[in-house]
Amino acid sequence: MTALNRITAAWIVTVLLVFPIAILFGILMRLNQGNALSLSSLTFYALMTAHGLLMVGIWFSMAMAGVSYLLQRYVEVRTWPITFGYVLTLVGVVLLLAAIFVGGLHTGWYFLYPLPFYARTTSWAPPVFLLALASLGVAWLVWALGLLMAILRRYSLGQALAWQHLTGKTEPETPPFILITTTTLLGVLPAFVAAVVVIVLFALEYWGGLKQDALLMKNLTFIFGHTLVNEMLYFGIATLYELFPGLAGKPPYKTKPFVALAWNLVLVVVWTAYFHHLYMDFVQPVVLQYIGQLASWIAPIPAVAVTTFSVLATVYGSGMKWWLAPTFFFTGVMFWIIGGFAAILDAIVANNFVLHNTLWVPAHFHTYNLLGNVLFSLGFITWFVREKSGDDSGRLYRPVATLYLLGGTGFVFAFYIAGSASVMRRVDKYPELVSSGSLWALIGGLFAILVFAATLLYVAHAIQRCWRILAAS
Amino acid sequence: MLAYIGGILIAAGTARAQLNEGQYYLRTLPDVPIVLVDGSKTTLHRLFQSQSVILTLFSAHCGGLCSAYLLYLRQALGSTPTGFRVVVLSFDPRDTLADVRVLTQRLALAEHPSWQWGVMDPEQIPRLLAGLGYALRYDPTRNDYDHSIVVFVVDRQGNILRRMEGFQDPALLKDLVREARGNFVFSYPLPATDVALRCFDFDKETGTWRLSWGMALLLLPPVSSLAIALLLRLLVALEQFRAADSSS
Ligand code: HEM
Ligand SMILES: [Cu+2]
C-alpha cells in the first residue's frame, strides 16, 4: 500500500518535471515558425522530435500509473512491475535525449524508416535510439503484463471483458474500470510487439546490411505509434469512469450491456484504425484503406458516445462542487469530443487528400491530448494529492483553470485555422505561399505561454506535496 | 530548476551548420522583365502563366558546361515536349539576342516554340539569381563564369516546386515534369535481393505482382496479443493450482 503510494508519487513528480520542459520546446518551435526566433533547422527538428516523444512518453506512463494506483480498489497490485517500468522508462528517456540532442537524431516522433539512419552529427545515434526504444518497449510491456496478471488472478478473461454483461446478466459484476483497463491493456500489447519487430528490422539493416521494405516499416511503425497514443487516451477514460461519479457524490458507474459492447468493439477495431495513416500510400492494398476508414469511425464513436452520455448524466442535477479535479475531467471529455470529431474528419479518405500532413493534424491531436488526455491525468493527480495531503488546491482553481483552458483553446485554435489554410505541419519556417502560417504560429505561441504559466503554478504545488510522500517513507 | 536550465542548454547546443534543401521550395520568383529571342518583350510570370515550366540558365559565352548541359536537357526532355515548356534564360550580361540566336541554331532548338529563350536587363539578373539561389562567380583569369548547373520546376504562379542540380538520370527529370503537371508520380523500389521481407513481389517478365510475406507480418502484433492473454490466463491457473495444492 505505501509502496504503491510511493511509486505513484514518483511517477507524478517525474512527469510533472518533464512536462514544462516539453511545453517549452513546443513554444520555441511555435515562436520559430512565427519568425520571432531563428533556430537552425536541425535544432527545430531536434526539439520537435524530443517534444513529441517526451509528451507521448510521459503521458502514456502517467495514464498507466493512474490506472495502476486505482486498480488496487479491485485486485491485489504488486508494485515491482511498476517500479521496473519506472526505472527502464527513465533509462530509455535519457538514451533518447542523448540520441536527439547529442547525436543529432531528428526523425520526428514516429521515426519513419529510414530516417533514424540519418542522424546528423554522430554515428552512434541510431543504435542508441534503437536501444532507447527497446528500453521503453520492455518497460511498458512488463508493466502492462503485470497489471493484466493482477486482473486475471481475480477475474476470468471473459469476466474481465464483461462478456456476461453483453447478454444482460448482472452477476458476477465487472466494474467499468476493470473492463476498460483490460481492453486497453490487451489493446496496447500489439503496439509493443510491433515495436520489437521494427527494432529488429532496423537492427538487421544497421548491423546486417539487410535492406527493409519501406511500406512494411511504415505499417509496423504506425501499429506502434497510433495504437500507443490511442490506448493512452483510454487509460485516461478508465480513470475518469472510476473517479468522476465519486467526485459528483454519486454511486459508481455500472457496466450496462451497451457499455460492454462498446469497449469490446474498441478492443479489436482499434488495431486496424492505424491504416488511416497510410491513405496516401498508393501501394497499400485498397481493401486496407477501406478497413482503415471504417475502423476510424467504429473505434472511437461508441466509446465517446457512451462516455459523454455518462458524464453529462452524472453532472446533471448533481449539485456538484466544482474544484480542480472534476473540472479537469469534465473539460477533458468535452475537448475529447471536439478533437475526436476533427480527427474523424481527417480520417475520411476524401478529406485526407486535403488535410494530410497539414497543421490540421497537430490541431486535432493537441485538442484531445493537451486538453483531453493530459487533463484526465491531471484530474487523477489532483485527486491523489487531495487524498494524501488533504489539500484540494483551492487557491489554484481559478488561475490554473483559466490560464490553462484559455491558453490551450487559443493554442489549438491557431493550429486549426492554419491547417484549414493548408499550412503544412513539421516545417520550421513557412514559405511565402503559406505565409499566413507565421502569424498563426506567433498567436499560437503566445497562447501556449499561458498554458506554460498555468503549468508552472500547478506543478510547483503538486510536486511539493508528492515529494512529501516520497520523503516521508 | 536545474532540470529546466539543463533542458534549455541541451536544446541550444544542437545548433549546427547544415544543408538547406527545402529553402527554395515554394519560393515565389521575382517577376523580372524578359526579352525573348525574337525581340518581343514579356515578363517572367507571363512565361509561366499558361503551363508549368522547366527553367534553366545559361551563358552563350560559356566555354564550360553550358552547351553540354543544354544538349543533355534537349535529349532528356525532347525538342517538342508536351504539357510543359522549357524556359532558358541567359545569366550573362554580355549575351546579346544575336548570341542567343546563334546558340539556339547550333543546338537545333531555334524553331521549337516550346523552348523559349530570353535575356534580361543586366540590372535584373542578380534579383532573379538571388530568388533562385543560383551560384555565380566571375573568374577574370578565364574571362568566364563559374556557375551552378541546375533546373527548376516552376508552377503557373511562379513558385519553385523542385530544384535539381547537375546531370541526373533523364527518367528523374521526366518525373519532375509529370509531378509539375499535377500528376502523381508512383515510386516503389523494385525487388532487390537484399531486402528482408517485402509487402509485394513483382514479376518483371509478366508485370504482375502479388502479396508477399511482409504483409503477413502485420498479423503478428494482434495475434501475439491474444496469445499473450491466453498465456497469462494459463499462468494464473497454474499459480492457483499450486496454491491449492500446497494448502491441501
Ligand atoms: C502548450 C503545450 C504544447 C505546445 C506549445 C506544443 C507545441 C507543438 C508544436 C509547435 C508542434 C509542431 C507542430 C508542427 O508540425 O509544426 C508540436 C508537435 C507535437 N506535439 Fe505538441 N505542444 C504542446 C503540448 C503537447 C502535448 C500535451 C502532447 C501530447 C501528449 C503533444 C504532442 C505532440 C506530438 C506527438 C507532436 C508531433 C511531433 C512530430 O511531428 O513528430 N504536444 N507540438
Ligand atoms: Cu492514427
Side-chain angles (χ1 to χ4, degrees):
Chain A
M1 174 59 188
T2 52
L4 194 55
N5 282 341
R6 231 180 312 142
I7 188 68
T8 308
W11 267 121
I12 294 175
V13 169
T14 313
V15 165
L16 290 186
L17 273 176
V18 177
F19 186 36
I21 298 174
I23 292 183
L24 206 60
F25 288 176
I27 293 175
L28 288 179
M29 280 190 277
R30 225 49 193 126
L31 293 183
N32 187 65
Q33 291 168 331
N35 297 326
L37 281 180
S38 261
L39 305 172
S40 76
S41 302
L42 180 57
T43 306
F44 177 89
Y45 286 108
L47 289 175
M48 188 184 89
T49 308
H51 168 83
L53 280 167
L54 282 179
M55 286 291 195
V56 171
I58 59 175
W59 293 113
F60 180 82
S61 302
M62 193 59 235
M64 208 144 99
V67 162
S68 307
Y69 181 81
L70 294 173
L71 205 53
Q72 66 176 320
R73 291 182 166 187
Y74 303 102
V75 303
E76 187 202 333
V77 180
R78 301 183 184 171
T79 41
W80 74 260
I82 313 176
T83 313
F84 179 86
Y86 179 81
V87 173
L88 228 53
T89 302
L90 284 197
V91 171
V93 167
V94 169
L95 290 177
L96 207 60
L97 290 178
I100 294 170
F101 288 119
V102 188
L105 187 97
H106 59 288
T107 57
W109 93 270
Y110 49 66
F111 54 86
L112 270 186
Y113 172 86
L115 291 176
F117 296 133
Y118 292 91
R120 275 229 95 86
T121 43
T122 57
S123 56
W124 52 257
V128 168
F129 171 70
L130 293 183
L131 207 62
L133 208 59
S135 187
L136 294 177
V138 172
W140 296 339
L141 179 63
V142 169
W143 185 1
L145 291 182
L147 297 185
L148 266 176
M149 272 297 261
I151 293 175
L152 290 178
R153 281 195 193 99
R154 162 85 197 274
Y155 300 89
S156 74
L157 195 56
Q159 286 169 358
L161 292 171
W163 287 345
Q164 77 279 17
H165 290 299
L166 283 176
T167 54
K169 271 199 230 133
T170 51
E171 289 296 322
E173 196 190 343
T174 306
F177 179 75
I178 293 295
L179 164 65
I180 302 173
T181 301
T182 309
T183 51
T184 307
L185 285 169
L186 286 178
V188 79
L189 290 182
F192 303 140
V193 176
V196 172
V197 178
V198 162
I199 292 169
V200 169
L201 293 181
F202 266 120
L204 279 179
E205 175 155 344
Y206 189 78
W207 282 291
L210 205 61
K211 290 267 180 308
Q212 300 308 327
D213 183 287
L215 184 66
L216 176 62
M217 292 299 267
K218 184 166 180 184
N219 270 289
L220 288 167
T221 305
F222 277 105
I223 296 183
F224 169 71
H226 172 87
T227 310
L228 189 79
V229 291
N230 200 152
E231 299 290 358
M232 121 176 140
L233 193 64
Y234 294 154
F235 279 131
I237 301 291
T239 313
L240 170 119
Y241 269 76
E242 185 59 27
L243 293 180
F244 196 68
L247 290 169
K250 295 213 172 164
Y253 292 141
K254 290 244 180 302
T255 302
K256 304 261 168 47
F258 57 87
V259 174
L261 183 67
W263 287 97
N264 274 279
L265 212 57
V266 164
L267 171 61
V268 273
V269 173
V270 97
W271 293 335
T272 52
Y274 86 88
F275 289 134
H276 60 216
H277 290 269
L278 286 101
Y279 285 157
M280 296 299 119
D281 292 73
F282 65 93
V283 261
Q284 182 86 337
V286 176
V287 56
L288 300 186
Q289 311 287 26
Y290 282 109
I291 295 177
Q293 160 111 48
L294 279 174
S296 302
W297 285 78
I298 296 172
I301 292 179
V304 172
V306 167
T307 308
T308 312
F309 177 79
S310 310
V311 165
L312 288 178
T314 304
V315 171
Y316 185 76
S318 69
M320 159 118 84
K321 176 182 165 287
W322 290 96
W323 56 293
L324 217 40
T327 306
F328 280 151
F329 279 123
F330 186 77
T331 40
V333 173
M334 295 304 121
F335 279 105
W336 180 33
I337 302 172
I338 298 171
F341 183 70
I344 287 176
L345 280 183
D346 187 22
I348 298 172
V349 178
N351 294 345
N352 195 254
F353 275 105
V354 181
L355 297 174
H356 189 82
N357 274 354
T358 65
L359 284 178
W360 188 269
V361 180
H364 71 65
F365 72 66
H366 280 96
T367 310
Y368 51 73
N369 278 312
L370 180 66
L371 295 170
N373 185 47
V374 171
L375 292 186
F376 298 149
S377 276
L378 291 181
F380 167 78
I381 294 172
T382 314
W383 171 86
F384 179 84
V385 165
R386 189 184 71 169
E387 286 288 297
K388 302 297 157 202
S389 72
D391 186 333
D392 70 353
S393 331
R395 273 181 313 115
L396 291 179
Y397 179 42
R398 272 162 193 280
V400 167
T402 314
L403 283 174
Y404 195 101
L405 295 177
L406 180 72
T409 312
F411 165 70
V412 296
F413 187 71
F415 270 149
Y416 280 114
I417 300 280
S420 42
S422 289
V423 180
M424 51 284 214
R425 73 182 282 204
R426 290 184 158 166
V427 168
D428 58 336
K429 290 280 182 200
Y430 296 120
E432 235 174 280
L433 192 68
V434 287
S435 56
S436 71
S438 311
L439 176 67
W440 288 109
L442 200 61
I443 295 173
L446 294 178
F447 273 106
I449 291 174
L450 302 184
V451 179
F452 184 64
T455 305
L456 285 185
L457 280 177
Y458 180 82
V459 162
H461 166 88
I463 286 188
Q464 250 177 18
R465 285 164 185 69
C466 288
W467 189 255
R468 268 182 227 145
I469 299 173
L470 284 173
S473 45
Chain B
M1 203 58 215
L2 275 182
Y4 294 106
I5 298 170
I8 296 161
L9 285 183
I10 293 171
T14 49
R16 286 199 176 83
Q18 56 196 285
L19 283 174
N20 260 325
E21 282 178 330
Q23 200 182 332
Y24 299 98
Y25 180 61
L26 287 186
R27 196 189 262 197
T28 310
L29 293 177
D31 193 15
V32 293
I34 306 280
V35 184
L36 291 177
V37 73
D38 62 5
S40 61
K41 294 197 168 140
T42 180
T43 72
L44 195 55
H45 280 203
R46 257 184 263 156
L47 287 178
F48 297 147
Q49 246 163 32
S50 60
Q51 272 175 329
S52 292
V53 155
I54 287 224
L55 171 71
T56 190
L57 289 91
F58 75 103
S59 154
H61 285 75
C62 177
L65 283 175
C66 273
S67 311
Y69 191 59
L70 289 170
L71 273 172
Y72 148 81
L73 283 183
R74 187 189 71 184
Q75 204 147 33
L77 302 173
S79 49
T80 51
T82 49
F84 67 98
R85 270 179 303 152
V86 189
V87 171
V88 196
L89 300 177
S90 163
F91 62 74
D92 189 341
R94 297 169 301 183
D95 286 356
T96 63
L97 284 182
D99 296 332
V100 177
R101 221 168 282 137
V102 171
L103 180 73
T104 59
Q105 273 151 9
R106 226 176 54 221
L107 292 167
L109 284 170
E111 304 304 325
H112 294 288
S114 28
W115 284 71
Q116 292 186 300
W117 302 75
V119 298
M120 284 168 278
D121 186 34
E123 293 183 355
Q124 298 290 343
I125 293 175
R127 240 182 101 203
L128 179 61
L129 296 192
L132 292 168
Y134 194 86
L136 190 64
R137 193 177 62 87
Y138 185 68
D139 180 357
T141 55
R142 288 192 301 124
N143 194 22
D144 210 342
Y145 286 97
D146 286 334
H147 61 87
S148 312
I149 295 225
V150 51
V151 285
F152 300 89
V153 178
V154 186
D155 72 7
R156 290 162 55 177
Q157 286 76 43
N159 303 305
I160 300 179
L161 294 182
R162 281 295 195 95
R163 179 194 159 94
M164 199 162 86
E165 300 252 3
F167 290 82
Q168 302 273 1
D169 181 350
L172 275 182
L173 211 57
K174 291 222 171 81
D175 280 348
L176 278 193
V177 173
R178 289 205 294 135
E179 209 163 13
R181 283 191 301 214
N183 294 326
F184 187 56
V185 177
F186 295 93
S187 74
Y188 185 69
L190 279 173
T193 45
D194 59 349
V195 171
L197 274 167
R198 295 182 55 86
C199 292
F200 300 101
D201 282 325
F202 182 75
D203 186 344
K204 264 192 245 175
E205 307 288 300
T206 59
T208 51
W209 56 268
R210 59 191 162 71
L211 288 176
S212 183
W213 287 106
M215 277 292 178
L217 197 61
L218 299 184
L219 291 174
L220 184 66
V223 168
S224 49
S225 170
L226 296 177
I228 289 171
L230 294 176
L231 199 73
L232 290 184
R233 184 71 197 86
L234 218 68
L235 274 178
V236 169
L238 209 68
E239 261 182 22
Q240 284 162 352
F241 178 73
R242 282 224 193 102
D245 213 31
S246 62
S247 66
S248 66

